[in-house]
């Protein structure tokens, strides 16, 4: 199959990723990265997960 996978097109259309197509010499090169909005959303998600883990660590771990 040539080109990028159909799932990437779906992610691109939904605004999750940015797709850039170009060439390096004569070879095609496709670069995919998270869109800025999704990148920021991902970092908020990670921060929320870290907060959950931090809270769980203080309530779940037995005291010595």
């Amino acid at each position: 199959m040539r080109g990028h996978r159909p799932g990437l097109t779906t992610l691109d259309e939904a605004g999750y990723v940015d797709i850039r197509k170009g060439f390096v010499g004569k070879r095609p090169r496709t670069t995919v990265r998270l869109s800025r909005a999704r990148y920021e959303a991902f970092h908020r998600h990670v921060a929320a997960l870290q907060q959950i883990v931090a809270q769980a660590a203080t309530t779940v771990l037995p005291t010595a």
Side-chain angles (χ1 to χ4, degrees):
M1 174 183 208
R2 299 206 131 192
H4 59 273
R5 301 203 182 270
L8 289 179
T9 300
T10 302
L11 291 172
D12 183 38
E13 290 170 353
Y16 283 88
V17 296
D18 295 321
I19 298 175
R20 299 176 90 181
K21 290 182 167 266
F23 287 87
V24 175
K26 294 183 179 183
R27 302 181 83 170
R29 168 85 41 106
T30 301
T31 304
V32 180
R33 66 181 186 164
L34 284 175
S35 66
R36 182 182 250 344
R38 297 305 174 188
Y39 182 79
E40 292 168 359
F42 174 75
H43 280 282
R44 287 192 304 273
H45 179 71
V46 169
L49 290 174
Q50 289 172 333
Q51 184 178 17
I52 291 168
V53 169
Q55 289 173 352
T58 61
T59 60
V60 175
L61 294 177
T63 58

